[in-house]
Structure formats: C-alpha cells, structure tokens
Amino acid sequence: MHTVAVDLHAHTRFFHGRRELGDRFDPLGARLLAEAAARRGLDGVATTNHDYYTPLEPAADIETLPGIEITTDRGHVLVIGPDPPRETKPGALSPEEAVALAHDRDCAAIVAHPFRNSTVRELEDIPFDAIEVNGKHPRSQPLVEELAAERDLPLVGGSDAHYPFEVGRAYTVLETDADRLTPSAVVDAIRDGRVSARVSRSPLDRFLRRGYRAIHNRKGVIDALERPTPGVGKPPGEETS
C-alpha cells in the first residue's frame, strides 16, 4: 500500500450558468486545475462541475478524475468514478436517486458540504459512501466528523475550487495498492474506508475562508451552528441562471 493525495471537489470554471460559454472554457479550466494541483503536491484532482460531466484530455503530470456535483432536491451530492452521468437536471433527483445512479455507474456517492446549503445530512438509511470536509468552511469539520461517526462513513476532503489557486485547500489522502491512480482505485479506497480528509491551514487559505464565510453568510446559505438546518438554495452565483 502507498498513499496519494487527491482533491475530490473542483470546478473547471470561474462562474456558474451560461453553459455554452462554460463548455468552451472547460478544457482550459481543467488544465489550470491540474497545474495548480501539481504545485500543491497533489497526485490528482476530480472535476465535479454542477450537473454535468465533460470528458477531457488527461493532464501530463497529474490524474484528472471524472466526476459531477449533482444538485438534488435536498442539496449537493458528489459522484466520483469511472463513469459519472453526463448531465443531470438541477433539483430533479432525490439524494437516494442520485446515490443509486452513482452506484449503477460504478461511482462513489459523497455528501457534499453537509452544513452549507443542504439538508441531505438529515436523511438516514441512504447508502452514501463518504461525507465531505469542504475547503470553503472547514470550521464545521467537528460537526462533519460527528455526522460521519453517526453514519459510520469515512471522511474525504475537497476544496470546492472555482479558481485554480483554491485547489488543495482541502483534499483526500487515500491508501491504494494500484500502480497508478485511477477512478476505480479512488472508488475502491473510499468504499473500503482507506481515506482521510486534510485541510490546508496556510495564510492564503485562511484568508480565502474568511472571505467565503462573509459572502455565504450574507447570502444566507451557511448553516449557523446553532440552527438545525440551512434550507436549500442554488449555489452562490447561480441565482439568475
């Protein structure tokens, strides 16, 4: 066994909406994500755009893993693996349906940012594979750890990067015996619990998190720790898309 580090939640564009513009930008965005991940010392990065997946040319020095962030009717679910769905309609699937879709396609299903803009965490008896420690708001990590313990699920880390310099502010360390990092190897490690979440505490990352906390508090999408649920809404920037 050896360990590798992977950012399991990143986006290839700086913006939401305008899908036709995004499709043209995605190849460049993927290259920028890979370059940023390599500078951070990561071995891989997953492209998890909102409700669509576009196959892209692999980067030369780092593994670019297929994925999608599905907007369910209760919040976001990350789907990572060899064959994620190409497109989903925002709000059309329940979390249970998103998990079933992921498993049908040999992918892992992960609860994304469970304490921001989501009520997915309130659901029980849905066979998720992991819960995410999100790089935008790692102050909720103790609550995420408690939730993962209650559900007997492993923790993974993802930056939720929309800009390349955000890559790696949270990431996943996984153990694998595979010769190279592959989507299937990542899925196997998650399901076997051979994963752990890491959060970067660099001055830049701390500065970025303060900014995101202020923005998301103003938008009302963060779950304050004393509130039982934040409700559900669109991700920041998607209100008019």
Side-chain angles (χ1 to χ4, degrees):
M1 287 281 183
H2 61 281
T3 60
V4 294
V6 184
D7 188 336
L8 289 181
H9 188 169
H11 302 273
T12 62
R13 59 180 66 182
F14 309 154
F15 47 85
H16 294 288
R18 296 197 64 184
R19 173 71 190 273
E20 69 281 0
L21 178 61
D23 285 347
R24 294 195 295 273
F25 184 84
D26 285 338
L28 172 60
R31 289 197 298 272
L32 293 174
L33 289 179
E35 291 171 4
R39 287 196 298 271
R40 284 273 198 164
L42 300 178
D43 301 289
V45 60
T47 59
T48 54
N49 290 317
H50 289 290
D51 297 299
Y52 77 96
Y53 162 64
T54 301
L56 300 166
E57 289 295 321
D61 300 325
I62 196 165
E63 294 294 335
T64 304
L65 302 167
I68 185 173
E69 185 173 12
I70 297 178
T71 305
T72 75
D73 59 5
R74 296 289 294 265
H76 289 168
V77 173
L78 295 173
V79 173
I80 310 291
D83 187 29
R86 292 295 184 93
E87 188 168 5
T88 54
K89 183 179 179 181
L93 297 177
S94 68
E96 185 173 16
E97 290 169 333
V99 171
L101 179 62
H103 291 172
D104 285 345
R105 303 180 77 90
D106 298 321
C107 294
I110 301 164
V111 181
H113 46 74
F115 290 91
R116 172 168 57 86
N117 214 29
S118 178
T119 57
V120 175
R121 69 179 187 274
E122 298 174 352
L123 304 175
E124 299 182 8
D125 301 323
I126 296 179
F128 285 104
D129 298 295
I131 298 177
E132 179 195 48
V133 174
N134 188 270
K136 285 182 177 175
H137 303 292
R139 71 193 181 111
S140 65
Q141 184 169 352
L143 294 176
V144 179
E145 291 173 347
E146 181 179 346
L147 178 65
E150 291 173 356
R151 300 289 193 269
D152 193 24
L153 291 173
L155 289 173
V156 298
S159 67
D160 202 354
H162 281 270
Y163 296 88
F165 59 79
E166 298 173 311
V167 170
R169 60 188 170 186
Y171 59 95
T172 302
V173 173
L174 61 90
E175 295 182 350
T176 179
D177 56 6
D179 294 333
R180 60 180 291 266
L181 185 63
T182 65
S184 294
V186 171
V187 173
D188 290 343
I190 292 172
R191 290 181 176 169
D192 291 344
R194 293 181 276 109
V195 291
S196 58
R198 299 286 191 276
V199 175
S200 171
R201 306 292 181 181
S202 73
L204 172 61
D205 290 315
R206 290 199 299 269
F207 174 78
L208 289 172
R209 283 193 280 269
R210 285 196 296 271
Y212 274 112
R213 187 159 59 245
I215 292 169
H216 289 167
N217 274 328
R218 189 165 61 249
K219 289 178 177 291
V221 298
I222 288 183
D223 184 11
L225 302 189
E226 68 273 9
R227 295 207 325 258
T229 177
V232 176
K234 291 185 178 180
E238 283 194 355
E239 291 87 351
T240 60
S241 64

